[in-house]
């Protein structure tokens, strides 16, 4: 998958430059409706357009068990409506970016189906140079650069891009990773890396669903709790 202008997505050959491997979530269950909406305008988006995943089904939650803060935020999360088109249906906003596409594969019945692809959390999308970037795109590029990089996570700090890589090797290799990381991000995403942080394996937090906890990592970085092997500032 490759994201193009205006958040349109194009499927390309496996291993194509600047592409991201994704797996569809499977056939959408009967009685469940999925729509891709623009998170700012709340307008519906067409097939193969990247946007926020909204869900309507009989088993949607109506709210949190315990609420702290503005209840209007809860209403917007669980009881959202489109700004145009089908404005009567009530949707739950997932907070995840994804897209729908008619699959080329068939299911057990021999029929094609609408496949849902999940790209990542909306709140982790980064605004840099007036453009939106998704962490996983940059992380995929960085991991490919060296066999000793086992994991990577990126986030922003005061308008700077911070790249954290886990090193599976000797500490002497840490310095060698810095130019590789900065070069690949510049060449493939046209971004200048502000800070490169090399850490031990297991420092990047992962939750029980296997998702990177980038904001927790950012908090640890700001609190100087990562105990890094090496830090390079390109300010």
């Amino acid at each position: 998958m490759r994201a193009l202008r205006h958040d349109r997505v194009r499927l390309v050959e496996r291993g194509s430059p600047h592409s991201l491997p994704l797996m569809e979530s499977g056939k959408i269950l009967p009685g469940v409706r999925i729509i891709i909406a623009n998170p700012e305008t709340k307008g519906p988006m067409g097939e193969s357009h990247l946007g926020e995943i909204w869900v309507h089904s009989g088993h949607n939650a109506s709210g949190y068990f315990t609420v702290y803060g503005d209840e209007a935020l809860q209403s917007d999360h669980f009881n959202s409506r489109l700004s145009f088109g089908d404005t009567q249906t009530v949707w739950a906003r997932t907070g995840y970016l994804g897209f729908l596409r008619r699959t080329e594969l068939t299911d057990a019945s021999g029929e094609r189906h609408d496949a849902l692809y999940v790209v990542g959390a909306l709140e982790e999308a980064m605004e840099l140079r007036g453009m939106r970037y998704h962490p996983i795109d940059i992380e995929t590029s960085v991991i490919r650069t060296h066999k000793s990089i086992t994991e990577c996570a990126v986030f922003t700090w005061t308008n700077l891009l911070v790249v954290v890589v886990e090193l599976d090797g000797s500490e002497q290799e840490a310095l060698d990773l810095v130019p590789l990381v900065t070069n690949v991000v510049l060449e493939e995403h046209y971004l200048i890396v502000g800070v490169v942080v090399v850490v031990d394996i297991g420092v990047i937090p992962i939750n029980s669903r296997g998702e990177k906890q980038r904001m927790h990592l950012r908090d640890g970085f700001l609190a100087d709790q990562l105990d890094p092997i090496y830090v390079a500032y390109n300010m």
Side-chain angles (χ1 to χ4, degrees):
M1 181 275 288
R2 178 185 293 154
L4 306 175
R5 285 188 176 186
H6 309 299
D7 284 329
R8 185 165 178 82
V9 171
R10 180 162 63 92
L11 297 188
V12 294
E13 292 295 325
R14 182 190 297 269
S16 296
H18 317 309
S19 64
L20 174 68
L22 290 177
M23 180 181 292
E24 65 162 280
S25 61
K27 188 174 181 179
I28 298 170
L29 295 174
V32 176
R33 293 173 59 190
I34 302 290
I35 195 169
I36 305 300
N38 183 306
E40 284 82 32
T41 66
K42 296 186 178 181
M45 305 183 73
E47 184 189 71
S48 298
H49 280 76
L50 193 64
E52 185 179 12
I53 301 169
W54 289 18
V55 180
H56 170 82
S57 73
H59 48 265
N60 272 16
S62 59
Y64 297 109
F65 178 72
T66 304
V67 179
Y68 297 98
D70 190 354
E71 291 191 9
L73 295 177
Q74 178 177 232
S75 177
D76 181 64
H77 183 88
F78 293 100
N79 300 286
S80 281
R81 299 176 188 268
L82 293 172
S83 57
F84 61 91
D86 179 6
T87 59
Q88 301 304 310
T89 302
V90 175
W91 303 85
R93 302 179 61 170
T94 66
Y96 281 85
L97 287 163
F99 62 95
L100 287 169
R101 183 180 177 87
R102 194 72 171 173
T103 182
E104 295 298 320
L105 302 176
T106 58
D107 58 19
S109 66
E111 297 179 349
R112 294 182 180 180
H113 61 277
D114 289 327
L116 172 66
Y117 295 83
V118 181
V119 174
L122 178 62
E123 66 178 10
E124 292 180 340
M126 303 177 298
E127 293 285 341
L128 294 165
R129 297 171 53 244
M131 300 179 67
R132 186 172 69 195
Y133 293 86
H134 303 289
I136 192 171
D137 294 340
I138 300 172
E139 292 162 359
T140 300
S141 297
V142 171
I143 289 174
R144 291 172 178 164
T145 60
H146 197 280
K147 60 181 176 61
S148 294
I149 298 178
T150 60
E151 189 57 276
C152 171
V154 303
F155 53 83
T156 55
W157 168 54
T158 61
N159 296 320
L160 293 175
L161 177 65
V162 181
V163 179
V164 180
V165 295
E166 292 185 354
L167 171 64
D168 181 14
S170 65
E171 293 188 358
Q172 286 80 2
E173 290 183 276
L175 189 59
D176 298 333
L177 299 182
V178 175
L180 296 177
V181 169
T182 55
N183 286 342
V184 74
V185 175
L186 182 61
E187 291 176 1
E188 297 192 4
H189 303 279
Y190 310 104
L191 289 172
I192 295 175
V193 176
V195 186
V196 178
V197 185
V198 183
V199 298
D200 293 311
I201 295 175
V203 170
I204 297 174
I206 308 291
N207 68 13
S208 59
R209 298 188 298 273
E211 300 168 332
K212 298 175 190 177
Q213 301 295 280
R214 298 178 181 90
M215 294 304 100
H216 291 311
L217 181 66
R218 182 180 185 274
D219 292 341
F221 169 76
L222 296 179
D224 196 24
Q225 297 173 342
L226 299 186
D227 190 22
I229 299 171
Y230 187 79
V231 181
Y233 293 90
N234 181 25
M235 313 194 46

